[in-house]
Amino acid sequence: MSHPPLRVAASRGFFKALNALPERGRAKVHKFIVQFMDEPTGTGLNYERINGSRDPQLRSLRVDQDYRCIVRAPEKGSTYVLLWVDKHDDAYAWARRIACQVNRVSGALQIVDVEKAEQSVGDAISAAVEQALAAMPQAPAALFSGLADDDLTRVGVPPALLPSVRALRHEDDLARLLEWLPPECVDALILLAGGRDLAEVLAELEKESGDDVDPDDVDTALDRIDSQAEFVVITDDEAMEAMLSAPMEQWRVFLHPSQRRLVERHASGPVRVLGGAGTGKTVVAMHRARWLAQQILDGHEAGRSDRVLFTTFTRNLATDIRSNLAKICTPQQLQRLEVTHLDAWVSSYLRSQGLKIRQFDKEARAAAWNVAWLVADPAVGLDQRFYEEEWKEVVLPQGCTTLDEYLAAKRLGRGTRLNRQKRVQIWPVFDALRSELRQRGLWEPEEAKQAAADRLAASGQPARYRAVIVDEAQDLDAAGFRLIRALAGPEHADDLFIVGDSHQRIYGRPLVLSQCGINVRGRSRKLRINYRTTEETRAWATAVLSGLPFDDLDGGTDGSGDTRSLLHGEPPLIRRFDDPAEEQRFLIELVHSFQESGQSLGSTCVTATSSEAVKTLAERFEAAGIATRVITQEEADDPSENALRLATMHRVKGLEFDHMLIPGLNAGVLPNRRVLNDCPDQVSKDAFEQRERSLLHVAATRARKRVVITCSGEPSPYLPLR
């Protein structure tokens, strides 16, 4: 008997449920899927209707006596959707709550847990609304009262959840409902709740037209980009077997519609992507790298370089990215990708050009300053500290290599005013310093990058790379972006893909991309959904930065009020102790409690502001019989190793753990009192404190479940204590 071509899709929930089964259960499911793909209507599969189901097309298929697979089976056609797998009773209970249907307005295939949404969210919202109404003389308007039902379904709200959405009165209520909504409508509701116009939201999110939607046409629905956040179509038996057999990290396959649109689209020039911690910027950048590599392999990019550079500011982030790309790319795709941090690329390139360049040496640098200081004019009346700050804050960032360039340089925020005559008197010190550095084979990082960019531009050779992808862009400097522009050559389609978040800036300073030869106007996007941290942690970590201004990497501002998390949990725990020994006992007991609950030590990280503090903490945990591993800059973390992780706050950037423990946050530690006192002026102090607060923000947002912060003395002034 012949069958029409079989098409099978699997939901993200199916893989989640499969991975939760014991190893023996997973093996049985694998065997079942092979049988299913071969003969989807075979009598041995034992199709059963589900009494009381909200969706008449759901069926239960027998895996064995213990397990059942829930499938959306077609009334006509041959497209099957694997939705869930579980023990018999649990599978049936799940299926009775679920509806898997095509949204009649948006056209996306959606899975809606109506019962759980109503019970877990709707009841809570109703109770909160009733309480608020009782205390208020005038009832507040519904959050989406200005929108029709068709408007809400057009942005992806399932009709079954319209009553819950209609019950919302405040944005805080919306945060509770987000985890039960299909992913394709979350961005839109966040923006609409913030006061954005519907037409503006539809345009920004590029919502597809839902005209002439056939609610029975699952094939067309699966092809819509909004459906691909929840479903993946299995192309053949080999692809299915690979997905079932490999360790399944969900981010490898499932991308939110806003992420997928960024990954799989051609752009006329540089693209800038902003997004808070946990919004998947690096995931998007890695998938973009893979997509570009495949474009090259498919021959779509003939006539240009056949390589893509993926770069970032720090060595450890490049190490982590290289490791993760190996998990999602084929060997052929990897051959088209080069991953390195920018300073390493520069050093290698300049050496290949015959320039003497070596690792930076603090003592040699200090010696160069001592010699340069000998030519300083005492009549100017400025100390060496001022010269060092002027070099770091004005000369290097603006690439001043001549007196004329220094005379034209902007000095906003420097405090001490300099007229033309004083600048002329000052410049010989910088000239002498540069000469002394070169004699010692030393280059400031900004100078080395600018030298590399200048040589590339003057070479007359084709661009080194077909495209350049930049992660953690907020930490790169202007010279770095001028080099990146040179590496990709003159502006062309799909040339630069830049992701960053100034709220996480812990190294660099604000810059304007357009002043570095990079035009992103009209090609800027933002990711707003946090997939990693709980809403409680996200809100607390955002409060750490309260009152500070943040830029959008191109001269504008970037707020944090339009980001929400899909997850919920306990708020950060802050504990204050009378002495360090008591604090350490608490930390040891806490880690032991994680172990006793069956958690791997590798899912918890202890972080501190310095390598010395990390070393001390590691020794104390080891003395208590707790295995530890200090994560260094040179290597990627191995999650399989059952040892408590320790790392500096700078090193945890790009990593994530169930629990983040941040001990020793006393007032003199964050901000570092010694460094703060050494700042020469208020502008420098403000900049340092902003970086310190961003450092705490970064550390807290590494947590998937909870953050625990301790101190033994006066707590850091950066800690929101609510």
Side-chain angles (χ1 to χ4, degrees):
M1 179 179 177
S2 63
H3 298 281
L6 175 68
R7 195 181 194 205
V8 175
S11 74
R12 174 165 43 181
F14 173 79
F15 288 107
K16 179 181 178 181
L18 176 62
N19 288 335
L21 298 181
E23 184 176 351
R24 185 178 177 185
R26 290 198 301 272
K28 291 180 179 180
V29 174
H30 292 186
K31 182 178 179 180
F32 157 79
I33 294 297
V34 172
Q35 178 186 359
F36 173 78
M37 295 283 287
D38 182 59
E39 187 69 25
T41 58
T43 56
L45 294 175
N46 191 30
Y47 278 83
E48 293 181 0
R49 291 184 179 273
I50 299 166
N51 294 331
S53 173
R54 294 172 182 265
D55 189 334
Q57 288 188 256
L58 297 193
R59 299 289 185 271
S60 166
L61 279 70
R62 178 188 294 163
V63 176
D64 66 1
Q65 291 298 320
D66 294 325
Y67 294 102
R68 292 293 185 274
C69 179
I70 306 301
V71 177
R72 188 187 193 277
E75 293 182 354
K76 58 182 179 178
S78 57
T79 299
Y80 295 78
V81 185
L82 302 170
L83 298 174
W84 196 258
V85 62
D86 212 332
K87 287 290 190 71
H88 180 284
D89 291 348
D90 293 333
Y92 272 84
W94 183 88
R96 291 188 183 99
R97 304 195 314 261
I98 295 299
C100 179
Q101 299 169 345
V102 177
N103 188 306
R104 291 176 178 270
V105 179
S106 73
L109 185 64
Q110 300 176 322
I111 298 175
V112 182
D113 191 332
V114 181
E115 180 179 316
K116 205 156 190 176
E118 289 174 348
Q119 292 178 352
S120 301
V121 182
D123 292 347
I125 292 174
S126 297
V129 169
E130 289 178 7
Q131 184 178 2
L133 290 176
M136 297 178 65
Q138 184 175 358
L143 195 57
F144 300 111
S145 59
L147 297 170
D149 285 353
D150 277 357
D151 294 332
L152 293 172
T153 50
R154 186 178 178 188
V155 300
V157 177
L161 292 185
L162 283 172
S164 294
V165 174
R166 288 292 184 201
L168 301 173
R169 293 296 189 277
H170 303 286
E171 290 190 53
D172 289 345
D173 297 335
L174 173 61
R176 281 287 170 188
L177 185 59
L178 290 180
E179 63 180 309
W180 306 111
L181 291 167
E184 68 267 18
C185 70
V186 172
D187 263 318
L189 291 181
I190 290 173
L191 293 174
L192 291 169
R196 300 279 285 275
D197 179 76
L198 175 63
E200 183 183 1
V201 170
L202 292 172
E204 178 176 338
L205 300 182
E206 302 175 43
K207 287 293 182 181
E208 298 170 286
S209 171
D211 296 341
D212 302 321
V213 169
D214 180 354
D216 297 322
D217 187 356
V218 175
D219 281 302
T220 299
L222 285 170
D223 291 335
R224 289 184 179 274
I225 198 169
D226 280 354
S227 300
Q228 293 165 15
E230 189 65 33
F231 302 93
V232 59
V233 176
I234 311 303
T235 54
D236 51 43
D237 292 353
E238 183 178 347
M240 172 61 88
E241 183 61 31
M243 293 178 68
L244 293 175
S245 301
M248 189 61 194
E249 291 162 297
Q250 292 183 21
W251 56 266
R252 296 189 196 180
V253 177
F254 300 100
L255 293 173
H256 185 274
S258 59
Q259 296 174 326
R260 189 173 295 278
R261 286 187 177 93
L262 290 169
V263 168
E264 299 176 357
R265 72 183 305 164
H266 289 288
S268 59
V271 174
R272 179 202 62 191
V273 180
L274 301 177
T279 56
K281 297 183 301 300
T282 301
V283 170
V284 167
M286 289 192 292
H287 279 272
R288 178 69 171 181
R290 181 177 70 168
W291 184 81
L292 287 171
Q294 190 59 48
Q295 294 292 301
I296 293 171
L297 291 170
D298 291 342
H300 299 317
E301 305 298 337
R304 295 187 181 275
S305 168
D306 64 354
R307 293 178 63 77
V308 174
L309 176 66
F310 194 123
T311 190
T312 187
F313 180 74
T314 62
R315 182 192 317 167
N316 57 271
L317 283 174
T319 299
D320 296 333
I321 288 165
R322 191 180 300 111
S323 174
N324 286 326
L325 277 171
K327 298 174 183 176
I328 68 172
C329 294
T330 66
Q332 293 77 17
Q333 290 168 344
L334 283 173
Q335 288 177 359
R336 294 289 181 263
L337 301 176
E338 179 180 342
V339 184
T340 185
H341 69 287
L342 205 55
D343 287 331
W345 193 97
V346 169
S347 294
S348 175
Y349 173 72
L350 291 182
R351 289 192 183 103
S352 74
Q353 298 293 299
L355 294 181
K356 179 183 177 184
I357 183 169
R358 61 189 178 92
Q359 290 291 103
F360 216 85
D361 185 320
K362 288 184 178 181
E363 292 184 4
R365 185 178 185 276
W369 265 108
N370 289 337
V371 173
W373 181 242
L374 296 176
V375 305
D377 185 347
V380 177
L382 298 170
D383 60 16
Q384 185 171 337
R385 166 72 70 77
F386 175 86
Y387 281 82
E388 292 176 354
E389 290 293 325
E390 187 78 358
W391 172 258
K392 182 176 68 174
E393 299 293 337
V394 178
V395 177
L396 291 176
Q398 298 184 51
C400 301
T401 59
T402 66
L403 173 59
D404 286 342
E405 290 172 342
Y406 180 54
L407 291 174
K410 297 178 180 179
R411 302 184 63 259
L412 296 176
R414 284 290 291 138
T416 302
R417 294 193 176 191
L418 297 178
N419 58 27
R420 179 183 177 86
Q421 180 182 351
K422 284 194 173 182
R423 291 200 197 194
V424 170
Q425 291 173 289
I426 284 172
W427 181 253
V429 175
F430 300 141
D431 236 353
L433 174 63
R434 185 171 280 117
S435 176
E436 289 298 319
L437 290 173
R438 295 298 176 275
Q439 290 182 32
R440 292 166 170 80
L442 298 176
W443 295 68
E444 295 280 19
E446 296 92 333
E447 292 184 299
K449 283 176 276 196
Q450 188 61 57
D454 292 342
R455 283 178 173 259
L456 287 170
S459 69
Q461 298 296 313
R464 287 296 182 103
Y465 299 97
R466 167 65 188 84
V468 180
I469 295 175
V470 184
D471 191 30
E472 302 291 352
Q474 72 279 352
D475 284 326
L476 268 65
D477 53 34
F481 278 110
R482 287 191 286 268
L483 171 59
I484 286 164
R485 177 71 280 170
L487 287 170
E491 181 176 310
H492 58 270
D494 300 330
D495 55 350
L496 301 178
F497 194 83
I498 300 165
V499 301
D501 174 24
S502 63
H503 301 82
Q504 299 184 70
R505 180 181 287 123
I506 57 178
Y507 295 107
R509 54 174 60 84
L511 53 76
V512 179
L513 288 172
S514 60
Q515 295 177 359
C516 305
I518 298 173
N519 174 29
V520 297
R521 182 167 295 179
R523 293 184 296 271
S524 297
R525 299 293 184 270
K526 186 170 184 179
L527 299 172
R528 298 179 176 84
I529 304 173
N530 185 317
Y531 302 92
R532 178 172 62 230
T533 66
T534 65
E535 176 64 13
E536 291 74 16
T537 295
R538 186 208 63 79
W540 185 89
T542 300
V544 169
L545 306 176
S546 178
L548 297 177
F550 290 94
D551 64 284
D552 66 354
L553 311 182
D554 201 37
T557 59
D558 180 28
S560 58
D562 56 356
T563 300
R564 294 291 184 276
S565 175
L566 298 184
L567 308 172
H568 288 275
E570 296 293 325
L573 174 64
I574 302 175
R575 292 288 301 272
R576 181 176 178 180
F577 298 91
D578 293 331
D579 65 81
E582 185 182 0
E583 179 185 11
Q584 186 64 28
R585 282 194 297 272
F586 168 79
L587 294 171
I588 290 171
E589 290 173 1
L590 183 62
V591 173
H592 280 314
S593 72
F594 293 156
Q595 286 181 290
E596 291 167 2
S597 66
Q599 299 179 46
S600 168
L601 282 173
S603 66
T604 297
C605 181
V606 183
T607 186
T609 57
S610 68
S611 298
E612 293 77 13
V614 167
K615 181 180 178 182
T616 299
L617 285 165
E619 291 171 350
R620 290 173 179 171
F621 282 111
E622 289 281 355
I626 297 173
T628 65
R629 181 190 177 195
V630 176
I631 308 175
T632 64
Q633 289 186 341
E634 292 76 18
E635 58 184 349
D637 186 30
D638 178 7
S640 65
E641 184 179 347
N642 188 18
L644 180 68
R645 301 301 194 267
L646 293 100
T648 64
M649 288 186 180
H650 288 84
R651 178 60 185 94
V652 298
K653 196 171 191 178
L655 302 177
E656 57 184 70
F657 302 90
D658 284 348
H659 300 94
M660 286 297 302
L661 311 186
I662 312 179
L665 277 197
N666 298 348
V669 174
L670 198 77
N672 185 307
R673 182 178 291 123
R674 179 185 59 79
V675 177
L676 187 63
N677 291 339
D678 284 344
C679 290
D681 52 46
Q682 190 59 48
V683 173
S684 299
K685 288 182 179 180
D686 291 344
F688 173 71
E689 288 203 84
Q690 181 153 339
R691 286 194 296 271
E692 292 279 271
R693 286 166 70 174
S694 290
L695 194 60
L696 176 57
H697 173 84
V698 167
T701 53
R702 302 306 99 190
R704 290 185 291 252
K705 292 183 178 178
R706 200 176 195 191
V707 179
V708 177
I709 296 171
T710 62
C711 63
S712 52
E714 182 184 354
S716 166
Y718 300 159
L719 299 182
L721 299 177
R722 61 179 176 82

